[in-house]
Amino acid sequence: MNPRSLRLRLLGGAALWIILALLIAGFAIGWMFTGNVERSMRDGLSASLNRLVAQIDPVAEEPVPGDALPDPRYAIPLSGMYWQVETAATDDSWRSRSLGDHVLDTGAAVAPGGAERFGTLAGPGAQPLSAMVREVSFSSDAGPRVFRVTLAEDRALLDESIRRFGGDLMLALAVLGLALILAAWLQVQLGLKPLEHLREGIGAVRRGEAQKLPPRYPAEVLPLVGEVNELLSQQQKSMEFARARAADLAHGLKTPLSVLRNLAAHMQTKGDAEAGEQVDQIVGEMDDRVEYQLRLSRLRMRTRAHQLSASLNETVDRTIAVLSRTQEGEELDWQVDLAPGLMVDIDRHDLMELVGVILENAAKWGKSQVRVVGRADGGFAEITISDDGPGLTEEQIARLGVRGQRHDESRRGSGLGLAIALEVVALNAGTVHFARAAEGGLAATVRLPLA
């Protein structure tokens, strides 16, 4: 895909923002989930701690019974659920069966003033524990007794819950991201569809299938459609105006040239033959140039964006049918060998002009035959027109197609025909090559893009 593509930019921007938004959402949800889980653990530890404190008998020899909390995990060794009660003044302590012989070091976890504190302790086997520690004081006949009560839970249980939730969250966000990117792709496709229709409409105009774009586009595209239609209208008017002015100018010059030609003939009859012949020659050259410009004005100006189609086979057949009825053409043997179905990317009128010029030149110089061979070669149609005329030298062949160049002044013609052919070929991204034919005359090979 083109890196400057509007579609790529829209998709890339949408995907970038979707991924960024999902990453932020993922971190936020993970942070909130972790906070909620820790808060739930803290609330659970606090509730169990209250229950444990309620079980303490400060005057009993064993102030806390072994089954003070009913959760069976407190009775399973190294289960991850632990409680511990210790006196603040002595080293006496009472523990859940799950702790075994391990004593929790809670000295650093005590909050100032004996308040409740939630923190992390090292458990059996270096287990990281989330612990709730509180110091409680009881009054008795022997004086106040202070106990340090600890409820702890293996942090790995919390971390495992967070890890599992994180994995599920990543999978869910990945699926959501793919769904959103797909939705963005569909939205871009639908959003740019009018531009695709616009391109097709412009292509139809270039192919000559329509004169302007139809107004069946969304409101956002209609101003552009209107501008394009206005541009097409102005272009058509400009071309028609230019052609009309060129034709008017050419026809306007025809009458003075005819007068000058008659004047030259009058001068020759009056005895001034040399001056009359010079005037006639100048008038002939001017007439040829006017005719050349008239023929050029009829050619269709185009770029490679235009898509046209014309049948090379039909054009050759029609042109030969006309030339074979002329005085020069009826004496020739026309040999035609064309591959079937040769369609070329050129306006059919321009193709008639091109083929007509070259075949007319071959008929003019051919002695007994003209040979036409056409084949498809890659993406081009190649047609070679050769005759058995007197032929040209290499120097003369190199000058073919130059306006006004004539290699035999004894024959009629202006020398502009092949120049017209070169103009047509240049307008349609083709090539023409002149060489000496095997029959002895001239061989013109024309290559035009296939339609």
Side-chain angles (χ1 to χ4, degrees):
M1 187 178 290
N2 190 339
R4 301 180 64 181
S5 166
L6 181 60
R7 179 179 283 104
L8 180 62
R9 292 182 181 183
L10 292 174
L11 285 176
L16 178 63
W17 284 112
I18 288 172
I19 293 173
L20 182 61
L22 291 178
L23 286 176
I24 295 174
F27 281 116
I29 294 173
W31 175 78
M32 289 187 293
F33 176 79
T34 301
N36 284 327
V37 170
E38 288 183 345
R39 192 159 42 250
S40 297
M41 172 182 279
R42 183 170 181 171
D43 291 343
L45 290 176
S46 180
S48 297
L49 185 65
N50 291 333
R51 184 181 180 86
L52 184 61
V53 169
Q55 297 288 324
I56 297 176
D57 183 0
V59 297
E61 183 177 351
E62 186 175 349
V64 183
D67 57 352
L69 296 177
D71 193 327
R73 288 177 293 180
Y74 290 106
I76 302 174
L78 305 178
S79 65
M81 300 288 288
Y82 313 109
W83 60 261
Q84 177 177 288
V85 177
E86 54 190 320
T87 57
T90 66
D91 293 334
D92 296 334
S93 63
W94 299 266
R95 301 177 298 279
S96 63
R97 294 188 183 91
S98 57
L99 269 176
D101 295 333
H102 185 80
V103 178
L104 298 177
D105 185 5
T106 60
V110 178
E116 185 177 271
R117 183 171 182 179
F118 180 78
T120 303
L121 296 177
Q127 278 183 330
L129 303 178
S130 294
M132 182 76 71
V133 181
R134 183 193 304 170
E135 283 193 351
V136 294
S137 177
F138 294 92
S139 299
S140 65
D141 295 340
R145 294 192 67 183
V146 178
F147 295 91
R148 185 179 299 157
V149 184
T150 303
L151 254 294
E153 185 174 333
D154 189 356
R155 178 76 188 189
L157 301 176
L158 177 66
D159 293 338
E160 177 63 19
S161 298
I162 295 174
R163 187 191 66 77
R164 286 199 303 267
F165 177 80
D168 294 340
L169 178 64
M170 288 179 60
L171 179 60
L173 291 179
V175 173
L176 178 61
L178 290 177
L180 291 176
I181 290 175
L182 177 60
W185 178 80
L186 291 174
Q187 183 177 11
V188 169
Q189 292 294 106
L190 293 176
L192 295 181
K193 201 66 176 178
L195 296 182
E196 181 69 19
H197 292 159
L198 181 63
R199 184 187 67 81
E200 294 173 355
I202 293 176
V205 172
R206 286 172 173 168
R207 292 190 298 271
E209 299 172 1
Q211 296 298 320
K212 62 179 182 178
L213 298 174
R216 61 170 189 270
Y217 294 95
E220 293 78 7
V221 184
L222 279 179
L224 176 61
V225 172
E227 292 294 332
V228 171
N229 283 336
E230 182 66 21
L231 180 62
L232 290 173
S233 177
Q234 291 297 329
Q235 183 187 38
Q236 184 64 27
K237 290 179 181 178
S238 298
M239 291 178 63
E240 291 175 356
F241 180 81
R243 288 182 178 180
R245 297 292 77 79
D248 291 345
L249 177 62
H251 288 299
L253 290 174
K254 284 287 187 178
T255 300
L257 289 176
S258 298
V259 174
L260 287 176
R261 192 179 296 276
N262 292 334
L263 180 60
H266 181 69
M267 292 172 64
Q268 291 177 352
T269 58
K270 292 297 184 179
D272 195 355
E274 183 177 354
E277 184 178 353
Q278 290 179 352
V279 172
D280 186 65
Q281 183 178 0
I282 293 173
V283 170
E285 292 179 359
M286 294 177 64
D287 190 54
D288 289 340
R289 292 181 182 274
V290 170
E291 180 64 24
Y292 176 72
Q293 293 301 325
L294 275 176
R295 294 174 72 175
L296 282 184
S297 69
R298 291 193 294 267
L299 298 181
R300 173 168 176 158
M301 300 302 296
R302 64 176 297 198
T303 66
R304 289 310 304 147
H306 288 82
Q307 297 177 1
L308 303 171
S309 180
S311 173
L312 183 60
N313 305 66
E314 181 181 348
T315 302
V316 170
D317 292 341
R318 291 178 59 183
T319 305
I320 290 178
V322 173
L323 290 176
S324 62
R325 293 186 178 91
T326 63
Q327 183 178 358
E328 295 169 336
E330 64 182 1
E331 300 177 357
L332 296 174
D333 176 21
W334 296 89
Q335 300 181 7
V336 181
D337 181 15
L338 293 176
L342 289 177
M343 303 297 293
V344 288
D345 183 12
I346 183 175
D347 181 73
R348 61 186 184 89
H349 297 98
D350 292 355
L351 183 61
M352 288 288 294
E353 184 79 23
L354 171 63
V355 173
V357 164
I358 299 178
L359 284 176
E360 186 178 353
N361 185 76
K364 176 181 176 181
W365 295 101
K367 294 179 181 178
S368 61
Q369 73 171 25
V370 173
R371 180 173 176 79
V372 182
V373 178
R375 296 287 183 271
D377 182 19
F380 288 82
E382 183 177 282
I383 179 173
T384 300
I385 301 173
S386 56
D387 61 77
D388 60 349
L392 299 173
T393 65
E394 294 296 332
E395 182 180 355
Q396 290 173 326
I397 290 176
R399 296 200 308 271
L400 281 176
V402 179
R403 281 188 304 182
Q405 287 284 344
R406 297 177 59 190
H407 301 292
D408 190 345
E409 299 292 338
S410 65
R411 298 287 188 99
R412 62 176 176 82
S414 61
L416 296 175
L418 293 182
I420 291 288
L422 291 178
E423 293 280 0
V424 175
V425 169
L427 285 175
N428 293 277
T431 60
V432 59
H433 175 70
F434 298 106
R436 191 170 183 85
E439 295 86 352
L442 181 68
T445 300
V446 178
R447 286 173 61 85
L448 292 171
L450 290 171

